Amino acid sequence: MDRAYHRKAVSLRTRCVVPRVTGLTLRRAKTVLARAGCRLGRVTRIYSPRVATGRVITQRPRRGLRLKPDARVNVTISLGLPPPPP
């Protein structure tokens, strides 16, 4: 079966129900999003003293929303503690 056709056929059957990905690694977030019928959108990286390096700090749209198939979910990833001032 042609991959593009298969992807389209799967998309027609599924909706994107946005899962909670905050606190997950980027790799795990991608997997969770794909299983929910969503796709990873824009990835932004910022320093965070509260969230471990490599973990999702925020996501948009919020969890629980029902969106069209393969909708993109944007995430912000922690770079960990900011570097000390010079």
Side-chain angles (χ1 to χ4, degrees):
M1 179 181 275
D2 181 77
R3 292 183 97 185
Y5 174 79
H6 179 69
R7 199 173 298 140
K8 192 169 202 166
V10 169
S11 295
L12 292 174
R13 291 192 312 250
T14 3
R15 302 226 10 111
C16 167
V17 179
V18 181
R20 178 178 180 255
V21 295
T22 54
L24 302 179
T25 63
L26 183 58
R27 184 176 182 176
R28 181 74 178 131
K30 273 177 93 167
T31 301
V32 170
L33 289 169
R35 287 184 181 161
C38 309
R39 291 190 332 179
L40 182 65
R42 187 175 345 123
V43 177
T44 306
R45 290 176 166 77
I46 64 170
Y47 291 106
S48 172
R50 293 185 207 121
V51 179
T53 303
R55 300 286 175 159
V56 177
I57 301 170
T58 62
Q59 68 180 72
R60 291 286 182 272
R62 62 180 160 64
R63 71 180 173 137
L65 290 179
R66 294 179 182 274
L67 306 172
K68 64 181 181 179
D70 291 329
R72 294 180 185 269
V73 176
N74 300 325
V75 297
T76 303
I77 303 294
S78 174
L79 290 172
L81 292 172

